[in-house]
Amino acid sequence: MKTSFLAIVLCSALGLLGLSGGARADTIRRYDCSTDGVDREPMGDRDEHVIISLQYTCHLADGPLRDATITAISVSELDGQKGTSLASLDIHHAIDGFAVGQLLEGTAFLIMRDKRPLGIAASGKMVFKFASGSLAALSGKAVNFTTKPAGFGRFEMEFSDWPEAAQPK
């Protein structure tokens, strides 16, 4: 169960890497995320070495565009308390907008409390391979992301460097 929980949190965090920006470094978007499903495959070479695929959904946490969502799948390698994101594909939905983000790079670290896994903190970068409508400013842009645990099966994700033109008015 410990590894499954870690896998869920790791993949969730890493899968959301995919936003891109380029206008202002101080422009941030924050999402509340929940895990929809997880698959854990032990590598068999040593304990705690697994490949995890995670499906998750996120909702914009604040701001005028509360209906914005992300659906995503992420695949990560977890080796003990350190993780590496292998692949992630995010689909961003907004009012009159659509974008597809792809992971460029990502790392994660298991957060422990009282010798029990609390969740995963992750960071990385993703690029938007396609964007249209109200999210068209994201097309070809790269954004940085960070995640932090927010309870069992939940995490918060922040994207920085979100393009000014893609901010809701």
Side-chain angles (χ1 to χ4, degrees):
M1 181 174 153
K2 172 183 167 185
T3 303
S4 295
F5 173 72
L6 298 177
I8 290 171
V9 178
L10 173 65
C11 290
S12 296
L14 296 177
L16 295 174
L17 301 177
L19 294 181
S20 70
R24 292 178 25 183
D26 61 340
T27 305
I28 295 175
R29 286 179 65 116
R30 186 175 61 83
Y31 288 82
D32 292 322
C33 306
S34 60
T35 301
D36 298 326
V38 65
D39 186 32
R40 177 185 172 276
E41 293 293 330
M43 293 293 87
D45 58 346
R46 60 190 175 278
D47 290 343
E48 302 300 320
H49 187 205
V50 297
I51 298 292
I52 298 169
S53 64
L54 176 74
Q55 300 84 41
Y56 56 91
T57 304
C58 303
H59 299 277
L60 193 61
D62 48 27
L65 195 56
R66 288 199 184 271
D67 291 335
T69 62
I70 299 171
T71 55
I73 185 166
S74 176
V75 179
S76 301
E77 175 186 18
L78 184 62
D79 193 1
Q81 292 184 341
K82 296 177 82 173
T84 302
S85 207
L86 303 174
S88 181
L89 186 64
D90 299 358
I91 300 174
H92 299 256
H93 301 268
I95 296 173
D96 299 324
F98 183 82
V100 177
Q102 181 179 345
L103 174 71
L104 292 174
E105 60 188 43
T107 59
F109 296 93
L110 175 62
I111 306 298
M112 303 288 287
R113 181 181 292 162
D114 299 326
K115 297 182 182 181
R116 298 184 66 189
L118 180 62
I120 300 288
S123 63
K125 181 177 269 195
M126 79 181 294
V127 65
F128 285 98
K129 304 295 267 186
F130 174 85
S132 66
S134 63
L135 298 178
L138 296 174
S139 186
K141 304 292 183 186
V143 294
N144 294 306
F145 71 92
T146 59
T147 68
K148 63 181 178 180
F152 184 75
R154 303 193 51 76
F155 61 96
E156 293 178 4
M157 182 171 29
E158 284 188 356
F159 294 97
S160 60
D161 304 325
W162 191 273
E164 180 70 23
Q167 292 291 342
K169 304 294 180 208

